[in-house]
Amino acid sequence: MSFHSKIILITGASSGIGAATAIHFSKLGAKLALTGRNLVNLQHVADQCEQSFSLKPFLVTGDLTNEDDTKHILNSTISHYNQLDVLVNNAGILESGSIESTSLDQYDRIMNANVRSIYHLTMLAVPHLIKTKGNIVNVSSVNGVRSFANVLAYCMSKSAVDQFTRCVALELAPKGVRVNSVNPGVVETNILTRQGMSKEDYAIFLEKTKVTHALGRPGTPEEVAKAIAFLAGDASFSTGDSLLVDGGRHAMCPR
């Protein structure tokens, strides 16, 4: 699988799955546009990509919940490369909250970050992807296809991403543009500690994957990155698909 001459825009690329995806695509020869809110972390990821492919990615910072930033991210990428082949909608947030403890502020925060931002950036990117017969990979979650307590707004947001994936896949298929999602289970990233979970609680959370995931462990960002690259490349007859990369968690039932 090669992505030489392909231009790939990855959101949320400063850490976790986004960073691993950037590094993996660089090893496959892609030219990258990386976006995130933390320029220092983005530069660190870019340095690792440059070591892999000797070509430094184009970096553009911004907050995807800000419409002007989203426009700037897309316009800057097109201005720099004059082309877009793959959009990886990876940026997102996770917060805990049940119907008894949530708030409308939490709902708005999560839906804006996880759904509205993808909706907007994809709208802007589609004309350019049609030109290249490119494709889109949305990073969803096993929470989009299975129900879990105490992450209500997050589960709703990822279900919305999956439905968005299928609808847009149908709309763009006649124009040669594929749209798929990857749905990870628990993956070892900093998404939960960034939201305030202590290191001790996070260690306990990871330990629980021995019983909540059929394979008995959490996934790695690199494993998800490889699935994203598969959907963006070799999966040429797949569109509207949600590829579960969750160690079998979706198939588990309480016993």
Side-chain angles (χ1 to χ4, degrees):
M1 185 162 52
S2 173
F3 287 89
H4 285 280
S5 80
K6 300 296 184 183
I7 309 302
I8 302 177
L9 171 58
I10 303 171
T11 69
S14 60
S15 64
I17 291 171
T21 301
I23 294 166
H24 185 63
F25 271 125
S26 70
K27 293 175 181 177
L28 299 175
K31 297 178 181 179
L32 302 177
L34 307 181
T35 185
R37 292 178 294 183
N38 189 314
L39 180 58
V40 173
N41 287 353
L42 276 179
Q43 289 174 332
H44 178 64
V45 174
D47 289 341
Q48 294 179 75
C49 293
E50 189 174 14
Q51 291 173 9
S52 300
F53 187 47
S54 73
L55 183 65
K56 197 159 188 172
F58 172 68
L59 305 181
V60 53
T61 57
D63 182 346
L64 288 166
T65 63
N66 181 302
E67 291 183 28
D68 290 335
D69 282 7
T70 302
K71 292 174 185 175
H72 175 66
I73 289 166
L74 193 280
N75 291 338
S76 296
T77 299
I78 298 303
S79 177
H80 185 80
Y81 287 119
N82 198 36
Q83 181 179 323
L84 183 62
D85 297 279
V86 180
L87 171 62
V88 179
N89 284 312
N90 167 70
I93 62 172
L94 187 157
E95 295 181 23
S96 298
S98 71
I99 194 61
E100 295 179 290
S101 63
T102 189
S103 65
L104 288 179
D105 284 342
Q106 182 183 69
Y107 175 87
D108 288 341
R109 194 162 52 244
I110 291 176
M111 296 301 283
N112 284 339
N114 293 359
V115 184
R116 192 175 189 271
S117 63
I118 290 177
Y119 198 100
H120 187 204
L121 183 58
T122 303
M123 284 170 50
L124 300 175
V126 158
H128 305 283
L129 293 169
I130 290 173
K131 290 179 184 177
T132 60
K133 306 282 187 198
N135 70 86
I136 301 165
V137 182
N138 299 317
V139 178
S140 183
S141 170
V142 65
N143 294 58
V145 296
R146 292 292 182 268
S147 303
F148 299 97
N150 204 40
V151 278
L152 176 59
Y154 181 76
C155 286
M156 293 174 67
S157 74
K158 292 304 184 179
S159 292
V161 170
D162 288 345
Q163 185 71 304
F164 176 77
T165 298
R166 290 187 289 268
C167 289
V168 178
L170 294 179
E171 293 168 355
L172 297 183
K175 299 181 180 181
V177 176
R178 298 184 301 108
V179 187
N180 295 288
S181 73
V182 63
N183 295 57
V186 173
V187 176
E188 292 191 67
T189 70
N190 64 355
I191 189 170
L192 289 173
T193 54
R194 196 169 62 230
Q195 297 298 326
M197 182 180 283
S198 69
K199 291 183 179 179
E200 293 77 12
D201 286 344
Y202 187 58
I204 293 170
F205 177 76
L206 292 180
E207 182 71 14
K208 286 177 64 178
T209 62
K210 291 181 179 179
V211 295
T212 59
H213 291 54
L215 292 182
R217 64 172 178 86
T220 68
E222 291 74 21
E223 287 173 314
V224 181
K226 290 175 182 178
I228 291 170
F230 167 70
L231 290 174
D234 283 349
S236 56
F237 198 52
S238 294
T239 196
D241 192 20
S242 295
L243 177 59
L244 284 147
V245 187
D246 68 343
R249 185 172 192 179
H250 70 281
M252 299 289 283
C253 295
R255 292 180 290 172

